[in-house]
Amino acid sequence: MPDSGGDRAQRAHIPTSGTRPGTDDATAVPHGDAGALSVDPAAPQITAPAGLPGTPGLPHAVGLPGPAAKATRRTGLLVTLVLGGLTALPPLSMDMYLPALPAVTDSLGAPAATIQLTLTACLAGMALGQLVVGPMSDRWGRRTPLLLGMVVYVLATAICALAPTAELLIGFRLLQGLAGAAGIVIARAVVRDLYDGVEMARFFSTLMLISGVAPVIAPVIGGQVMRFTDWRGIFVVLTAVGVALTLVVAKWLHETLPPADRHTGGVTDALRTMRGLLADRVFTGYMIAGGLAFAVLFAYISASPFVVQEIYGASPQTFSLLFGINSIGLIAVGQINGKLLVGRFRLDKVLGFGLAVILLAAVALLLMTTGVFGEVGLVPVAAGLFVLMSAMGLAMPNTNAQALMRTKHAAGSASALLGTSSFLIGAIASPLVGIAGEDTAVPMALVQVVCAVAAVGCFLLLCRPWQRAGRDADGL
């Protein structure tokens, strides 16, 4: 198929060293000291990325016998846990703090609306920080910006624990979010450095297993901390977690971006790279589709406490149970995606199926909440939410994987755009769920339908998966 203008623009602004001549970005071979694991589970060889600890200088695609293979698997598990911890840290920073909001309001003598800004500031910092850290990691490598971000995160969190006023707390929550964004954006970039194709999609599904647990258990942990101390103790715990992660990163996470593949320009070059990424129609399609799917998730998180408890009369315990079940569904389907579907079906097929299920579930919820089926109770609505949430396990990892496959040599900038767009689109969608007041769940379902329709539209119109199906030699 002839190149689109976006494809040409992407190659004009993004270095392409390390790719095989005549290959598409989506099927480029691994480069430098970072390789993909074998696509065939039965294959006798194990490709061990040399950027992992314990395998310095390991040749690309070397078969590892016996103890060496076990060591590589242990190393891969360690890196998975480290990257999962980095990805889980921002949700922990947000959600552990939720049970403490009333206590913070009383302690600092500030209005509730002012204390709510501490959440907004942290979320805004996470969104904007990715735009800064992503290009930095493309220029200076992954370790230096990550370690710098972690140190700043620890300092900002410690000061939050000591903040005497609401204004100071808001300021350092913003800094905490800006620094914590390093974990999100660089974790995705490291995955792109180390893996390619099917294995990258599988790794994202595994990462979801770890990071998906964080929003579920974070409020519980925060509530338990509040039993033994005040709200400042939550920030003390987060400071300790930050210190531990910083030490683990310093010891175990080696550099994964070779100097030859780094960008050497300044801010102008970073902006040019991002412009080239956005000019790539297919990358932009995956980015927006993923952001809109994330907005469906944000709408659920924002509205479900009110919908389940106030409209359908469930107790807080029932809501917590349903929230946990839905989260388990998302994680379980994510694992099915990584272990069973990826490698057997093209990623676009799996992604398209996931988006279609999200859309159907959202439409069903809209029909139920508008009374088309008459008065419905909590069970049908909870079932619709479960299906919708579970299908996220097919959409979220595969949009990230497909987008990053096109951006091997600008993975930091691409990861920044993916993360920032998701946060911003989700932040725009979230307030709309309560626009009609507290007596109806229709706005939640309507926002979800609109975002799901838009996600499917972006996937079909911009990504055009049928045009690339015949060119995917690796079965993606």
Side-chain angles (χ1 to χ4, degrees):
M1 184 186 73
D3 287 347
S4 66
D7 292 333
R8 289 191 297 272
Q10 184 193 26
R11 286 194 291 273
H13 299 302
I14 302 173
T16 56
S17 61
T19 56
R20 200 168 45 199
T23 59
D24 199 49
D25 281 346
T27 58
V29 295
H31 69 287
D33 65 348
L37 298 179
S38 173
V39 172
D40 181 6
Q45 284 190 330
I46 298 176
T47 302
L52 302 182
T55 57
L58 190 68
H60 183 68
V62 173
L64 298 177
K70 293 181 180 179
T72 299
R73 285 194 292 269
R74 287 196 299 269
T75 294
L77 176 61
L78 178 60
V79 171
T80 300
L81 294 175
V82 172
L83 297 182
L86 292 172
T87 307
L89 187 60
L92 285 175
S93 302
M94 290 289 295
D95 296 344
M96 275 184 65
Y97 178 67
L98 294 179
L101 284 176
V104 177
T105 301
D106 295 337
S107 174
L108 298 182
T114 300
I115 299 302
Q116 286 286 344
L117 290 177
T118 61
L119 292 175
T120 304
C122 188
L123 183 62
M126 290 178 190
L128 298 176
Q130 295 184 63
L131 290 177
V132 176
V133 178
M136 286 175 60
S137 73
D138 282 338
R139 182 177 183 184
W140 290 301
R142 312 303 184 202
R143 271 178 59 87
T144 300
L146 178 56
L147 288 172
L148 178 62
M150 292 302 301
V151 170
V152 174
Y153 173 88
V154 168
L155 294 175
T157 306
I159 295 176
C160 285
L162 304 173
T165 66
E167 292 74 18
L168 193 61
L169 181 60
I170 292 170
F172 279 95
R173 283 285 278 174
L174 175 64
L175 183 60
Q176 183 192 42
L178 288 167
I184 305 175
V185 67
I186 293 181
R188 277 195 302 261
V190 168
V191 173
R192 184 63 187 96
D193 293 340
L194 297 180
Y195 302 101
D196 206 349
V198 167
E199 285 303 325
M200 181 165 58
R202 286 176 176 162
F203 194 94
F204 274 125
S205 294
T206 302
L207 210 58
M208 181 176 288
L209 174 63
I210 301 171
S211 61
V213 174
V216 180
I217 66 172
V220 178
I221 296 174
Q224 294 303 310
V225 172
M226 292 286 290
R227 292 181 57 187
F228 302 100
T229 182
D230 61 5
W231 63 271
R232 299 180 188 276
I234 292 177
F235 288 107
V236 172
V237 171
L238 287 172
T239 301
V241 172
V243 170
L245 264 177
T246 303
L247 295 176
V248 169
V249 167
K251 180 174 178 60
W252 293 109
L253 191 64
H254 293 184
E255 181 57 63
T256 60
L257 184 65
D261 292 328
R262 298 176 189 176
H263 295 186
T264 57
V267 175
T268 302
D269 182 70
L271 294 175
R272 186 182 301 114
T273 298
M274 288 190 174
R275 186 171 68 245
L277 290 169
L278 293 174
D280 177 11
R281 168 180 50 78
V282 179
F283 170 84
T284 302
Y286 287 123
M287 180 188 72
I288 298 177
L292 289 166
F294 198 64
V296 176
L297 177 64
F298 258 57
Y300 160 77
I301 293 173
S302 300
S304 61
F306 164 74
V307 170
V308 173
Q309 295 181 79
E310 299 298 326
I311 296 180
Y312 291 97
S315 66
Q317 292 75 23
T318 301
F319 166 72
S320 299
L321 177 62
L322 292 176
F323 192 90
I325 290 173
N326 290 342
S327 299
I328 291 171
L330 186 153
I331 295 169
V333 172
Q335 296 314 292
I336 292 172
N337 174 71
K339 305 297 184 184
L340 299 178
L341 301 180
V342 171
R344 290 177 172 85
F345 303 93
R346 291 179 57 247
L347 288 187
D348 277 331
K349 286 186 176 180
V350 180
L351 173 56
F353 178 76
L355 292 176
V357 173
I358 291 172
L359 176 57
L360 291 175
V363 170
L365 286 168
L366 181 60
L367 294 177
M368 284 188 282
T369 56
T370 52
V372 171
F373 301 131
E375 289 293 329
V376 296
L378 176 60
V379 172
V381 172
L385 289 172
F386 175 79
V387 172
L388 182 145
M389 281 288 291
S390 297
M392 292 291 174
L394 300 178
M396 293 171 63
N398 291 330
T399 51
N400 283 335
Q402 288 286 66
L404 288 173
M405 278 182 207
R406 303 182 63 82
T407 60
K408 177 178 288 293
H409 300 286
S413 297
S415 178
L417 289 173
L418 289 171
T420 300
S421 63
S422 294
F423 273 95
L424 292 181
I425 295 174
I428 292 171
S430 294
L432 300 178
V433 299
I435 200 169
E438 301 181 355
D439 299 323
T440 176
V442 171
M444 177 194 74
L446 185 60
V447 168
Q448 290 174 331
V449 168
V450 171
C451 290
V453 169
V456 172
C458 286
F459 175 62
L460 295 177
L461 296 177
L462 296 180
C463 301
R464 301 176 190 174
W466 62 88
Q467 292 183 345
R468 299 194 317 281
R471 298 189 292 112
D472 288 340
D474 54 358
L476 298 179

